[in-house]
Amino acid sequence: MSKNDNLMEKIGSLCKRRGFIFQSSEIYGGLSNTWDYGPFGVELKNNVKSAWWKVNVHNRYDILGMDAAILMHPKVWEASGHVENFHDLKSDCKSCKKRFKVADLKDLKRCPECKGELTEARPFNLMFKTYQGPVEEAASLVYLRPETAQGMFVNFLNILDSKHPKLPFGIAQIGKAFRNEITPGNFTFRTREFEQMEIEYFVKPQDADKKLEEWIDYRFNWYLNLGIKENNLRKRPHAKDELAHYAKACTDIEYNFPFGWSELEGIANRADFDLKQHAKESGKDLQYFDDSTKDKFYPYIIEPSGGIDRSVLAFLVDAYYEEKVKDDIRVVLKLHKDLAPVKVAVLPLLKNRPEIVELAKKLAVDLKKGFVTVYDDTAAIGKLYRRQDEVGTFFCVTVDVQSLEDKQVTVRDRDTMKQDRVAIDRLKDYLSEKLNS
Ligand code: GAP
């Protein structure tokens, strides 16, 4: 087994070849740094979201899910500090007109590409603006949200009044966010449109430090439990001078991407910044009333905030293998069973034998009721196996001549390539035991 150089290129090529991720608007030359998820990509992405929702919402009693709108009242972004603080410093090249993030520049005077003169550094707000209603006027200016978090803060009262949760409790949300990044890149790692998975966990102020540590471990283990190798994952506490304007403390979970260690998720202690700000700007009382002590106070907020697209990319990179099999190289995505876009492929050994094809198709239709299953008869069996390996299909079920006699099929394991002969009437139980355990 070996990992390779040029891994990002290989992942990009596999994603296009096998229908995971495509360049946006490709037939028009593409929109740079914008990506569309194809048939297997959307399955993988949905599986990542389900795995997150399951452990954070369905399996817990203290976290409630929600789905806020992307467009929010413009005052939200004044209260949150985004209008004032959410910017990067940038310089433009006077010759080639390219724009650079000052933090990425070694020489602040000369363009790194054409050596032309750079303009003075200026703040560049990262929020996307749009207009609500038919008239483009300042009064109707709205922003595409740069984080999903604010949708949860502004619904704090609604959640309290409708569900009456007691501290500590959380609100969880998955959704799109938009940032006009100056230097997007590294495939889907940094884009202008992306998806976040965020939890706002409300705690008593005196419990915040302890809860922050618990959440860092809990979120770190989530990636490990879904198959990321431990030596590719690390925790990196933020230095005081790199904290966001709202954060008291923050630790990033980083993945060892081919382009270097980079952030997958940040877990921050936002203290009472957000609730206090929204209370001040909206005039509403956003304090929590503790029945037992009769105290009224602003809870602190612990926020695990991850990116779906970045996780998907890390899962793809971590699962990618090239293995020597006889004189051939097999490319295989060893994705965790819960993430694999397809669980079972049914393949007829001979596509010119109608009885075999008929039995294989019947099996596929039947298995589809319990597992994500595909049927493929468009190539010879060796090629069909390779195709399924490349998309990470967990099991291949092959129907052959003997199956017609003994009512058994061959089940091939993706990772070991070991083959088991399984009776057709036991097949569902066999697959269930392995896939649903
Ligand atoms: N609410 C806090 C917040 O938004 P953040 O560190 O700015 O914190 C959280 O973003 C996560 O969102 C990041 O860890 C990353 O996974 C993802 N993310 C942020 N900007 C992104 C971008 N331009 N492209 C893809 N993912 C991004």
Side-chain angles (χ1 to χ4, degrees):
M1 269 188 274
S2 67
K3 288 258 170 187
N4 295 278
D5 299 337
N6 311 325
L7 189 52
M8 288 310 293
E9 274 167 42
K10 287 179 178 181
I11 298 276
S13 144
L14 180 134
C15 282
K16 179 162 163 57
R17 188 167 75 244
R18 290 290 174 225
F20 280 89
I21 301 173
F22 309 124
Q23 172 86 65
S24 162
S25 322
E26 195 181 331
I27 58 166
Y28 289 100
L31 181 63
S32 61
N33 299 298
T34 310
W35 304 96
D36 297 339
Y37 288 79
F40 290 128
V42 68
E43 295 290 343
L44 173 57
K45 204 178 187 198
N46 284 344
N47 290 343
V48 170
K49 292 185 207 177
S50 302
W52 186 88
W53 197 263
K54 186 168 167 222
V55 298
N56 291 310
V57 182
H58 287 167
N59 290 3
R60 292 180 67 125
Y61 58 85
D62 58 344
I63 300 190
L64 301 157
M66 69 164 290
D67 182 20
I70 288 171
L71 301 178
M72 301 179 76
H73 196 290
K75 281 204 158 167
V76 168
W77 307 109
E78 287 169 28
S80 69
H82 281 81
V83 171
E84 195 186 340
N85 297 309
F86 197 55
H87 54 243
D88 279 340
L89 282 179
K90 55 109 183 132
S91 285
D92 293 309
C93 173
K94 290 182 183 168
S95 306
C96 70
K97 310 290 179 213
K98 282 207 174 130
R99 177 163 286 171
F100 301 95
K101 204 166 156 177
V102 169
D104 296 337
L105 291 171
K106 289 201 179 86
D107 179 347
L108 298 179
K109 300 255 180 276
R110 293 275 150 211
C111 172
E113 296 196 2
C114 73
K115 303 295 168 209
E117 195 187 340
L118 290 173
T119 59
E120 284 290 305
R122 282 176 294 165
F124 178 76
N125 196 290
L126 299 180
M127 279 195 296
F128 271 96
K129 290 177 185 151
T130 187
Y131 299 91
Q132 181 153 287
V135 188
E136 279 195 21
E137 57 185 33
S140 59
L141 174 76
V142 287
Y143 298 100
L144 303 187
R145 65 181 178 200
E147 60 172 9
T148 65
Q150 300 300 326
M152 294 182 269
F153 302 140
V154 300
N155 275 292
F156 180 68
L157 264 191
N158 284 332
I159 298 285
L160 280 185
D161 291 347
S162 59
K163 300 290 295 178
H164 311 289
K166 300 275 174 267
L167 290 182
F169 73 91
I171 311 177
Q173 166 161 240
I174 293 175
K176 291 257 179 177
F178 301 82
R179 296 182 189 175
N180 208 355
E181 300 278 4
I182 298 170
T183 47
N186 284 327
F187 196 24
T188 53
F189 180 81
R190 180 169 286 108
T191 51
R192 296 191 170 105
E193 173 180 348
F194 55 96
E195 264 185 293
Q196 290 187 313
M197 42 188 181
E198 296 199 294
I199 297 166
E200 307 305 329
Y201 198 74
F202 302 88
V203 301
K204 291 183 178 163
Q206 61 271 29
D207 296 339
D209 292 343
K210 184 166 159 271
K211 290 289 174 200
L212 177 66
E213 293 311 313
E214 283 174 16
W215 270 105
I216 295 167
D217 288 342
Y218 185 69
R219 291 300 306 141
F220 191 84
N221 288 331
W222 182 76
Y223 294 98
L224 295 183
N225 292 339
L226 287 172
I228 295 278
K229 290 174 210 71
E230 198 159 0
N231 57 350
N232 282 336
L233 210 59
R234 74 179 186 192
K235 299 170 189 166
R236 192 184 68 78
H238 279 208
K240 283 270 174 270
D241 63 357
E242 61 173 323
L243 288 173
H245 63 274
Y246 50 75
K248 219 170 157 232
C250 184
T251 290
D252 283 347
I253 296 176
E254 295 188 334
Y255 181 74
N256 187 14
F257 283 100
F259 46 84
W261 286 95
S262 307
E263 174 187 346
L264 279 183
E265 169 158 353
I267 300 116
N269 175 359
R270 295 181 75 125
D272 52 9
F273 177 85
D274 304 278
L275 290 180
K276 267 190 176 158
Q277 281 295 108
H278 286 303
K280 196 169 108 201
E281 295 295 325
S282 67
K284 298 279 187 275
D285 183 0
L286 300 184
Q287 293 182 88
Y288 175 85
F289 178 67
D290 189 327
D291 287 334
S292 55
T293 61
K294 310 294 177 212
D295 282 344
K296 222 175 160 196
F297 58 93
Y298 289 102
Y300 272 27
I301 295 169
I302 306 302
E303 179 194 64
S305 170
I308 302 279
D309 311 80
R310 285 190 188 178
S311 308
V312 166
L313 186 59
F315 287 122
L316 282 169
V317 167
D318 216 69
Y320 182 96
Y321 286 87
E322 288 180 1
E323 295 178 349
K324 201 160 184 336
V325 181
K326 294 187 188 138
D327 293 332
D328 199 11
I329 299 287
R330 119 173 150 127
V331 172
V332 53
L333 279 187
K334 295 189 177 180
L335 289 164
H336 186 279
K337 64 181 171 56
D338 293 350
L339 300 185
V342 179
K343 312 299 177 200
V344 186
V346 182
L347 315 169
L349 190 68
L350 300 168
K351 67 171 175 185
N352 53 2
R353 289 282 300 266
E355 325 88 277
I356 294 181
V357 168
E358 192 189 343
L359 177 57
K361 282 188 175 163
K362 196 169 152 282
L363 268 182
V365 169
D366 200 29
L367 291 177
K368 265 180 186 289
K369 291 172 199 148
F371 318 93
V372 179
T373 302
V374 296
Y375 169 87
D376 193 2
D377 64 8
T378 55
I381 192 70
K383 221 174 193 180
L384 293 181
Y385 280 152
R386 293 288 178 270
R387 241 182 234 171
Q388 298 303 328
D389 287 343
E390 280 199 350
V391 300
T393 303
F394 220 71
F395 288 114
C396 287
V397 171
T398 309
V399 180
D400 54 26
V401 181
Q402 215 187 326
S403 308
L404 302 171
E405 308 284 316
D406 65 7
K407 306 283 178 267
Q408 295 187 355
V409 287
T410 301
V411 182
R412 171 186 177 270
D413 180 289
R414 177 196 67 196
D415 297 346
T416 60
M417 292 189 284
K418 220 177 120 264
Q419 304 197 348
D420 270 353
R421 201 72 189 158
V422 179
I424 290 175
D425 58 8
R426 268 217 65 238
L427 184 60
K428 273 196 209 155
D429 288 343
Y430 175 96
L431 295 171
S432 264
E433 277 162 27
K434 311 243 176 193
L435 289 167
N436 299 333
S437 59

